[in-house]
Amino acid sequence: MRTILLIDMDSYFASVEQQSNPALRGKPIAVIGSGKRTVVTTASYEAREFGVKTGMNMWEAKKLCPQLILVVGNNRKYTHTCKMLNEIYSRYTSEVEAYSIDEAFLDITDSLKLFGSPLEIGSMIRKEVKERFGLNATVGIAPNKLMAKLAAELAKPDGLMYMKQKDIPAVLEKLPLDTLWGIGKKTARKLNDMGISTCGQLGRAPVSILRDHFGIIGERLKLMGMGIDSSPVMSNEETAKSVGHSMTLPHDIWDKKDIEAYMLKLSEMVGRRARRHELKGDTVTVTIRYKSFRTFTKQLKITKYLNDTHDIHKTAMEIIRSIQLRDSIRLLGVSLSGLKNSKDPAQLDLLSDHVKKESLLETADSINDRHGDSTVSWATYMTHRSRPAVISPAWRPVGVHRTNV
Amino acid sequence: MEAVREQILVIAAFWGNSRLKPLRFRWSDRQIQVKDVTYEWTTEKGNSRLLHFSVTDGNTLYELSFNTDSINWILEGVETEI
């Protein structure tokens, strides 16, 4: 039987800011982005008592808590701390999955004989995190990832819960459906309509009825209701399926020149990251979000594999030109998928122009590696400098998803 | 935090395991004694590594950075009010 540990940092960004600035400790604070159009990214527990939540705009948050202190976030502080936290976790087991910037799964099955009981390991990690960073971590321990996440959820904040196999049925019996990781409000409502309102009921529901309503997911839902989850802790970096970047623009745009300039920047970011990790892709996807928040994507598969900034940009603009824009644009994104290793001999292009272009890109990349991103950049973009990015949910402390924020 | 971005003179301690701690610094003709280093983090700019420190003199919060390539200290910003 496995022993899985989930570490969840309590109100992570807000806690880091309260540690950095003693004057903020014990006060209701909300970490926000640097742009004009920003929302609460994390609220401290003091602010949460007033109902301040992630995703709220500043006006709403201030209305609920007039004494709320707004702090512009520092993403590099959080990403560096995340990297250091993962180094602590790696001392207890090599099976560490950084699930997000503030959560990690650890498979400690083989660590028990070295470090002690699950509770002892959980306590040691919490203590070390507190001593090194002054931050509170909640730890959930269980025989699988689903239950470890639930244990952490039930133990929050600043808690430690060990859910043994024999405890699971009693915990799940009366538990509301949307408390379980992976069951959202929509699925919970559909299950309620079927007369299923607790996890215990879900676990006992006939799989044929669940399959009728949810298709193949029905079987998975039943297993979840029974507290069963065989998904492994993914410690090796998964092969990236795509490389992408998106940005909320400083103001809504409509002009084709502006769109082209931002698309060039995004293409450069995508191309550079793909080149750094020796990847090329054959499908370019563009994401557009209008001022109205209507969001859609359109993709184009091409006949060759590429990671050249201009090729990505050219393809992205071809997609843009094929769309009849209906409103001004708030967010743009570009991603490259259908990835292969760029050093694969089948992908080599020996035409001299191509070789020259690759050499130019390599030179620009090595200057940017030495002196910082965008030291050498495209002239078209120079008048459209962007602000620090938000941390994508896909951000990870290592590998192709470790982007500069 | 109000951005400052000025080069400053710092007295710092270096000790085992690559640890570094600013002890005091001079800014605008003032000597500021570091009472506490409240947070530390590292960023990269190209090949340069920047060590960042949030420090307080007991009244005011400052952010200092040390560039390991150029061996310069910068006062990045000052927290002026809550």
Side-chain angles (χ1 to χ4, degrees), chain B residues 42-58:
Chain B
T42 304
T43 61
E44 277 142 30
K45 192 179 168 164
N47 282 353
S48 300
R49 232 169 116 227
L50 275 75
L51 309 180
H52 297 259
F53 303 87
S54 274
V55 305
T56 176
D57 61 358

Side-chain angles (χ1 to χ4, degrees), chain A residues 16 19-24 69 74 76-77 80-81 133 135 368-372, chain B residues 36 38-48 54-56 61 63 69 79 82:
Chain A
V16 170
Q19 267 312 115
S20 269
N21 186 349
L24 297 176
I69 301 164
N74 183 332
R76 291 181 181 195
K77 226 190 264 187
H80 170 81
T81 303
F133 301 100
L135 303 174
N368 287 329
D369 284 343
R370 174 79 178 88
H371 297 286
Chain B
D36 195 16
T38 58
Y39 215 78
E40 297 175 43
W41 67 103
T42 304
T43 61
E44 277 142 30
K45 192 179 168 164
N47 282 353
S48 300
S54 274
V55 305
T56 176
L61 191 77
E63 183 187 319
D69 200 24
E79 188 64 64
I82 299 290

